[in-house]
Amino acid sequence: MAHVGFENVLGVVERTEVSRPVGRIVALEDGRIIVGGLSRQAAMGDLVKITTPTGHARGEIVRIEGDRLTVLPDSPLDGLRIGLRVALLGAAVLAPDDSWIGRVIDPYGLPLDNRPLLPGTATRRLTGQPINPTERRGLGARLETGLCVFNTILPIIRGQRIGLFAGSGVGKSTILAMLAQRITADVVVIGMVGERGREVREFVERVLGPSGMARTVIVAATSDRSPGLRRRCASAAMTVAEHFRDQGRQVLLLADSITRFADAHREIALASGEAPSLRGYPPTTASAITTLCERAGPGAGAMGDITAIFTVLVAGSDMEEPVADILRGVLDGHVVLDRAIAERGRFPAIDVLRSVSRALPLAATPTENDQIAQARRLLGAYERAELMIQSGLYSSGSDPVIDAAILAWPKLDAFVAQRETEGIGASFEKLARCFPAQHKSAAAVNREADRLPVT
Ligand SMILES: Nc1ncnc2c1ncn2[C@@H]1O[C@H](COP(=O)(O)OP(=O)(O)OP(=O)(O)O)[C@@H](O)[C@H]1O
Ligand SMILES: [Mg+2]
């Protein structure tokens, strides 16, 4: 475990402000708190602390209008009344620290695992500081992932941002868990946004265990928390990832799920008076999602990179849904899971033909690209002919490509589910063994033809 020093304690003392601007609750309406007396000092997104007869409540400023602030509380309104004192805390910040590795925290930076946690020496705003795009590096080297399919056909490279799209219960969280355990990274940051409460504990104890947690920080706001906390959870996870990236470390950020982040944003935006337009989502949804995702990616100068994987819930596999649609435009790759594949018991239920890594072709050698193309061609040929094959209408020998696809399909299908402990080269060797012996890839044939002397 990392060392927590005297400077951490000094940092806390230095940041403790003795006096804060104070206002009062003037109205409570539809789950919102209207505050008077702070609008000259407050900024959008600032946090406030309300002193109640039994303790404190917190909230986020979502609208400033004349002398009135609209605050969305982080907890239910029960017990609040007109006249209570509201202190302005300022912008939402976190002070991440090395000692946070191995811990589960909430978006305030408070521990959720009942052990003391000290903030670091410097605060960072949850809204982040974007890197100048002209200074960012290009995408980096290929990462070992522990799964054959991600080592080969759908490579993940340093600084890449990928979406994992699927309907409910098709295996998104399980894939994230596998990658959290096995992918090459110095630090893993997991944002559990609006997911089930039991999943957090399961992740820590059963999925990651002590060895996985030794390089992981989990930031969680489960589905029962307020929309403000759920939305800030994604930004908080990104802020923690940026802290480690700025120290030159390679960070893997896993966010489960971006759909819940978008839903929380929708609740907040509607409460602040924005009108829904983008098929039920307010217009600011697109910029909220893209701003968050753009913070991941390659670093600049001596920084590390943030490789990010975001899960997206797509109802009924509708990839045109607003959140899925916005994300696909921002990301450098998408992995689509298919319920039909999960139903026949092949996990991970990745639909290879519908999934794309934009790291290709650069991330692989010409030979590897050939193999990837061949795998896709065979899977594609099988899929096109599947109905005929299964209904007995296809007679063997009528099409050599379909014949090869029928031979290769069971092996390729098993390959997609296979784990890998021996590295990327070994995964490509396994992929090569899926192809029928005499079936040469068209690209290989073309390259051989290129080498022939012109007569
Ligand atoms: N690799 C796997 N091996 C075996 N079973 C799996 C695998 N992946 C998923 N499953 C099965 O699918 C179920 C749902 O998986 P998971 O919770 O990962 O889905 P999800 O897409 O995250 O769901 P939700 O949308 O509800 O969050 C699991 O409880 C398990 O039964
Ligand atoms: Mg899930």
Side-chain angles (χ1 to χ4, degrees):
M1 177 176 289
H3 173 71
V4 178
F6 185 57
E7 65 275 17
N8 296 68
V9 184
L10 271 185
V12 177
V13 175
E14 265 170 29
R15 287 195 299 276
T16 308
E17 284 181 34
V18 185
S19 73
R20 298 184 189 282
V22 172
R24 299 272 168 192
I25 296 184
V26 295
L28 294 156
E29 47 187 51
D30 304 330
R32 291 165 298 179
I33 305 167
I34 311 297
V35 177
L38 276 180
S39 46
R40 283 181 187 277
Q41 295 97 332
M44 280 292 277
D46 277 0
L47 301 184
V48 296
K49 185 158 114 181
I50 303 155
T51 310
T52 71
T54 51
H56 297 293
R58 287 198 248 195
E60 180 178 336
I61 297 171
V62 296
R63 187 182 175 105
I64 306 174
E65 196 184 16
D67 189 32
R68 287 156 60 98
L69 296 181
T70 305
V71 170
L72 214 55
D74 285 348
S75 49
L77 294 183
D78 304 342
L80 296 191
R81 48 185 168 73
I82 291 177
L84 287 182
R85 200 168 173 274
V86 182
L88 184 65
L89 300 177
V93 292
L94 273 186
D97 189 65
D98 275 16
S99 62
W100 289 17
I101 296 176
R103 306 297 304 275
V104 186
I105 62 162
D106 70 8
Y108 299 121
L110 298 174
L112 286 172
D113 47 14
N114 301 321
R115 288 187 282 137
L117 177 89
L118 268 182
T121 49
T123 54
R124 313 177 69 102
R125 277 180 176 239
L126 255 54
T127 43
Q129 271 288 331
I131 302 179
N132 180 342
T134 59
E135 288 170 15
R136 269 187 194 250
R137 283 189 293 275
L139 295 174
R142 203 158 42 169
L143 293 170
E144 262 179 50
T145 62
L147 279 167
C148 282
V149 65
F150 288 121
N151 279 355
T152 55
I153 308 174
L154 298 169
I156 301 178
I157 59 177
R158 276 184 183 180
Q160 196 176 6
R161 290 158 304 178
I162 297 167
L164 201 55
F165 297 78
S168 66
V170 183
K172 298 181 292 297
S173 304
T174 312
I175 294 192
L176 279 198
M178 288 179 186
L179 293 172
Q181 289 166 294
R182 301 291 312 279
I183 210 166
T184 322
D186 298 325
V187 181
V188 180
V189 181
I190 304 178
M192 301 186 94
V193 185
E195 295 294 301
R196 298 167 202 84
R198 68 163 172 80
E199 278 186 312
V200 178
R201 186 156 177 197
E202 222 176 270
F203 221 89
V204 175
E205 289 178 3
R206 197 179 56 77
V207 177
L208 292 178
S211 63
M213 281 304 287
R215 61 171 195 168
T216 304
V217 183
I218 295 183
V219 187
T222 46
S223 55
D224 54 320
R225 307 308 299 269
S226 72
L229 270 174
R230 279 181 273 135
R231 183 171 72 168
R232 290 204 299 280
C233 180
S235 318
M238 190 62 82
T239 307
V240 174
E242 286 169 339
H243 164 80
F244 291 112
R245 175 205 62 198
D246 289 355
Q247 295 178 343
R249 302 207 224 177
Q250 288 299 325
V251 184
L252 173 71
L253 174 82
L254 304 172
D256 194 10
S257 78
I258 280 299
T259 308
R260 306 282 180 226
F261 166 79
D263 289 347
H265 177 80
R266 170 167 61 184
E267 281 182 55
I268 297 166
L270 296 182
S272 68
E274 211 182 315
S277 70
L278 193 69
R279 281 173 287 165
Y281 284 90
T284 48
T285 309
S287 73
I289 294 175
T290 45
T291 309
L292 180 74
C293 295
E294 283 294 348
R295 288 169 65 184
M303 292 176 187
D305 306 307
I306 301 177
T307 309
I309 306 179
F310 304 99
T311 68
V312 189
L313 177 71
V314 285
S317 304
D318 175 12
M319 293 289 286
E320 308 307 317
E321 235 200 342
V323 177
D325 202 29
I326 296 164
L327 260 171
R328 262 185 317 160
V330 195
L331 301 175
D332 320 298
H334 56 266
V335 175
V336 180
L337 307 188
D338 183 53
R339 191 176 296 282
I341 299 177
E343 278 168 2
R344 67 174 165 78
R346 210 282 319 273
F347 287 106
I350 298 171
D351 183 340
V352 173
L353 291 175
R354 248 137 244 112
S355 305
V356 177
S357 168
R358 294 193 190 157
L360 287 175
L362 286 180
T365 65
T367 317
E368 289 167 347
N369 273 309
D370 273 2
Q371 279 178 269
I372 295 167
Q374 189 174 5
R376 283 189 177 277
R377 210 167 19 251
L378 289 168
L379 285 169
Y382 186 87
E383 191 179 287
R384 278 191 303 281
E386 191 170 14
L387 261 183
M388 279 203 312
I389 298 166
Q390 290 189 342
S391 55
L393 292 175
Y394 177 75
S395 51
S396 161
S398 29
D399 182 333
V401 177
I402 297 180
D403 288 342
I406 293 171
L407 280 178
W409 191 82
K411 292 182 188 163
L412 284 171
D413 195 56
F415 173 82
V416 174
Q418 219 167 330
R419 310 251 179 145
E420 181 60 80
T421 51
E422 289 162 38
I424 292 173
S427 295
F428 273 102
E429 282 166 25
K430 290 187 182 110
L431 180 60
R433 287 200 288 274
C434 296
F435 304 139
Q438 19 7 9
H439 187 76
K440 225 178 232 178
S441 77
V445 173
N446 286 344
R447 268 214 311 283
E448 271 171 31
D450 287 345
R451 271 186 239 115
L452 293 176
V454 181
T455 50

